[in-house]
Amino acid sequence: MTNTAAASADTQVHQFEDEVAEGLPPGFGPGITGRIAFGIAIAFALFTLWTAAYGSLPSQVVRAMHVGFLLLLTFGLVANLVAKTLPGKIFFWSLGIAGFLTGIYNWVFYVDLIRRTGFLTTMDLVVGAGVVLLVFEAARRILGWPLALIAGIFLAYCFFGQYLPSPLIHRGYNFELIVEHFGFGTEGIYGTPIYVSAAYIFIFVVFAAFLERAGMLKLFNDFALGLVGGTRGGPAQVAVLSSALMGTISGSGVANVVASGQFTIPLMKRFGYRSAFAGGVEATSSMGGQIMPPVMGAVAFIMAETLNVPYAAIVQAAIVPAILYFAVCFWMVHLEASKLGLKGLPKDQLPNPWQAAREQWPLILPLAALVYLLFAGYTPVFAGTMGLSLVVVLILGTPLAARIGPFVFRVVFWVALGLAAASFAWVGVNLLVAVIVGLIAACAFFKGGRETLAICRDALAQGARNALPVGVACAVVGIVIGTLTLTGIASTFISAIISIGENNLFLSLVLTMLTCLVLGMGIPTIPNYIITSSLAGPALLELGVPLLVSHMFVFYFGIMADLTPPVALACFAAAPIAKSSGLKISLNAVKLAAAGFVIPFMAVYTPSLMLQDGGWMAEAFGYPVEVAYVIFKACAGIGLTGVGLVGFLFVRAGWLERLLFLAAGISLILTLPLTDEIGLVAGLVLVGLQFRRGRMEARKEQGLPA
């Protein structure tokens, strides 16, 4: 590393002081150990991108090395940022090195481990048991106690379940079998979640880091501010729109809160919103980013892999609910602003959204390419790798283009560079790599180019760091999945859900929802989804719920758990920015996120809301008619419910009127005989009465007879 690079690495803690990874302070740490951790993060990113682009290593080796890098970087950062004493730092670095060596061991002895399956050596058992213990400790350090305890209970069940009463009893498993299953097999730590982390999630996290470094967050904020900042409740509408846009590239709700909340929450407070409401708007909008296509939360990739369906199918199911979710956020903010008499921002203080888009339009190109590749049938790993490569080409080409004088020559340069970068689709990835290497070499020879190289280097490192919580969660939740496959305990839970649902599907759905919300109090969305979908997904399928809809049901409530009291991670992330109680923010967020609680239930009873199979209306009038009607019903029902929750439409509503609005909205949401008709008629009457009262009060204010 050059002196310049070393100095830059030394100051990472300051450069990234606003970026918080769960469980760890920001940055990489000071001094030589900070530079080492910084270098490890870059190596981690490059290794993952290399395996994604060329795929020359066996899947088991890739998974093991991914876990090895996760452990090395996690414990290295714990040593640098948390440990206070020299012995403590040495201890945690030793744990990290030991964790990395478990990946090397799987790589070096890959063939031997396959040959001696079922007959592991003492050294194999030491390595297997060691990686399990290290994953538990990494999860405890970076994610807290809850997830580690849950996984620990499942692991203990493998050892002691034979002593439990029926129906929990199993036949019993010895130490060697358990270690082999969890420490080496593809149904334990190295199972599907860690495969998805290595193959998909990591790439998209780095992709988001590069786009943020390139200025995408500023573009989204400027565009949102210019487009909706002047509307009623403008500052809060800006938060909703910018978070929705940010959700297209970043699937982390908490990261969105921290990143965009620094700008939107103070803006909302300055224009009259209560602190708790401002924090609630940001938390609700940011969590919605996980369901916003094209790049949804990491769960979407795990879902596609688990269900063995194209990623485009997940996006198709999510698109209407995502639009409804953010439309309801806009609606609730509008009602709150109307109730408080808040106006929009002055027009002269707003940027021109289209000018911002014109000035920064090249940033849209990699995102557009990513969307095209995802929907053209390419795998997410290929689409993500190519999208990331195009971002790198764009960033590296910018300082070179700036040194070209005449405008026509700059256009020729960009056209030639774009054609060379796009040719990967026909020539292969080697040409794209050659283009990037050539740009790196060219940028190394002048000052602005070297600064651009530093931006790319920092984005690689920060992307790897941002991926740690997700990766470690995927590793430790493999213990839970491994327990389910080894012991068969999932069938007991499934039978219980089915027995309840035979008489009442709604009750089964409520129990599944409560399971998601309770689990979500202590663990992130990814392990929440993996655990609950493994248990409840098959049960709901047996009860007639389409498989994709049942998994989306679990996914939605895993997200809602981060907004639901008492432990609402997204809301507590917004609390220090809003300078308000996390609990108060959470209560506002639950009210704002009404759509997130309603849509999953509606989709179960009317799957066409997620563009799945139609019902009787589709058979009678055609599928488009059913989809349009269901969307209309959802909008009307959630809109009326929002009026009841906020207590305002055209004028303030009394408590009785609010209850009637809630009843009308719920009637439209339900799928029972005559409920649609009752809800629609009641809603029209209530809206008409509100409108009439609003006209009367307006005439009184003008001194006219009512």
Side-chain angles (χ1 to χ4, degrees), residues 207-219:
F207 177 70
F210 267 89
L211 281 179
E212 288 181 34
R213 288 278 178 265
M216 184 64 88
L217 180 59
K218 183 179 184 302
L219 170 61

Side-chain angles (χ1 to χ4, degrees), residues 288-465:
Q290 294 190 65
I291 60 171
M292 174 56 72
V295 182
M296 300 161 62
V299 168
F301 299 105
I302 297 175
M303 191 187 303
E305 188 69 26
T306 302
L307 301 181
N308 194 27
V309 298
Y311 181 74
I314 307 296
V315 171
Q316 176 184 308
I319 185 67
V320 172
I323 293 172
L324 284 175
Y325 182 94
F326 282 102
V328 172
C329 286
F330 275 112
W331 175 241
M332 299 291 280
V333 164
H334 172 80
L335 293 177
E336 184 74 16
S338 301
K339 180 180 178 180
L340 299 176
L342 302 178
K343 306 296 183 183
L345 297 164
K347 295 290 185 183
D348 57 355
Q349 295 183 18
L350 301 177
N352 186 324
W354 309 114
Q355 182 178 347
R358 282 195 301 270
E359 292 175 353
Q360 300 290 332
W361 68 266
L363 292 175
I364 306 298
L365 295 179
L367 189 59
L370 175 66
V371 174
Y372 168 76
L373 292 171
L374 286 173
F375 283 91
Y378 291 93
T379 63
V381 61
F382 180 82
T385 305
M386 293 304 103
L388 174 59
S389 300
L390 293 176
V391 176
V392 174
V393 169
L394 179 66
I395 294 174
L396 293 175
T398 299
L400 294 173
R403 297 177 69 85
I404 299 174
F407 174 76
V408 175
F409 289 170
R410 286 201 300 274
V411 172
V412 171
F413 169 80
W414 279 118
V415 170
L417 188 60
L419 290 174
S423 62
F424 71 85
W426 303 277
V427 181
V429 72
N430 287 334
L431 179 60
L432 185 55
V433 172
V435 170
I436 293 174
V437 170
L439 290 172
I440 291 173
C443 287
F445 288 102
F446 60 96
K447 184 178 179 182
R450 287 190 291 272
E451 292 172 350
T452 303
L453 291 178
I455 290 173
C456 293
R457 179 202 64 210
D458 294 348
L460 278 174
Q462 190 61 29
R465 192 190 193 287

Side-chain angles (χ1 to χ4, degrees), residues 82-375:
V82 178
K84 303 299 182 184
T85 64
L86 180 60
K89 295 178 183 294
I90 294 173
F91 173 73
F92 284 113
W93 271 111
S94 300
L95 292 183
I97 293 169
F100 184 72
L101 290 177
T102 63
I104 298 294
Y105 188 87
N106 276 270
W107 191 349
V108 173
F109 297 105
Y110 170 67
V111 176
D112 296 329
L113 287 169
I114 293 176
R115 289 174 176 169
R116 56 180 182 251
T117 299
F119 303 94
L120 298 183
T121 65
T122 302
M123 190 62 190
D124 294 340
L125 294 174
V126 169
V127 172
V131 73
V132 171
L133 293 174
L134 289 171
V135 164
F136 268 103
E137 177 61 13
R140 186 183 73 83
R141 287 285 174 178
I142 201 169
L143 300 168
W145 277 102
L147 180 56
L149 285 175
I150 291 171
I153 291 170
F154 276 81
L155 183 60
Y157 176 70
C158 294
F159 281 100
F160 306 111
Q162 65 269 34
Y163 304 115
L164 296 177
S166 179
L168 298 177
I169 189 171
H170 61 64
R171 66 180 181 85
Y173 307 95
N174 60 37
F175 177 79
E176 291 78 8
L177 178 60
I178 292 173
V179 169
E180 182 172 4
H181 185 76
F182 290 109
F184 291 102
T186 56
E187 293 182 340
I189 287 174
Y190 304 129
T192 298
I194 207 67
Y195 163 72
V196 175
S197 175
Y200 305 158
I201 298 171
F202 188 96
I203 295 168
F204 282 89
V205 171
V206 175
F207 177 70
F210 267 89
L211 281 179
E212 288 181 34
R213 288 278 178 265
M216 184 64 88
L217 180 59
K218 183 179 184 302
L219 170 61
F220 285 159
N221 282 339
D222 287 348
F223 184 79
L225 190 61
L227 196 65
V228 299
T231 61
R232 183 182 292 275
Q237 306 288 24
V238 170
V240 176
L241 182 56
S242 65
S243 294
L245 293 172
M246 194 63 191
T248 62
I249 64 168
S250 169
S252 173
V254 176
N256 283 358
V257 171
V258 175
S260 58
Q262 304 283 352
F263 163 74
T264 58
I265 292 176
L267 183 65
M268 285 185 273
K269 290 176 63 177
R270 193 161 64 246
F271 278 82
Y273 286 101
R274 294 174 289 109
S275 296
F277 184 82
V281 169
E282 181 57 46
T284 305
S285 305
S286 292
M287 291 310 298
Q290 294 190 65
I291 60 171
M292 174 56 72
V295 182
M296 300 161 62
V299 168
F301 299 105
I302 297 175
M303 191 187 303
E305 188 69 26
T306 302
L307 301 181
N308 194 27
V309 298
Y311 181 74
I314 307 296
V315 171
Q316 176 184 308
I319 185 67
V320 172
I323 293 172
L324 284 175
Y325 182 94
F326 282 102
V328 172
C329 286
F330 275 112
W331 175 241
M332 299 291 280
V333 164
H334 172 80
L335 293 177
E336 184 74 16
S338 301
K339 180 180 178 180
L340 299 176
L342 302 178
K343 306 296 183 183
L345 297 164
K347 295 290 185 183
D348 57 355
Q349 295 183 18
L350 301 177
N352 186 324
W354 309 114
Q355 182 178 347
R358 282 195 301 270
E359 292 175 353
Q360 300 290 332
W361 68 266
L363 292 175
I364 306 298
L365 295 179
L367 189 59
L370 175 66
V371 174
Y372 168 76
L373 292 171
L374 286 173
F375 283 91

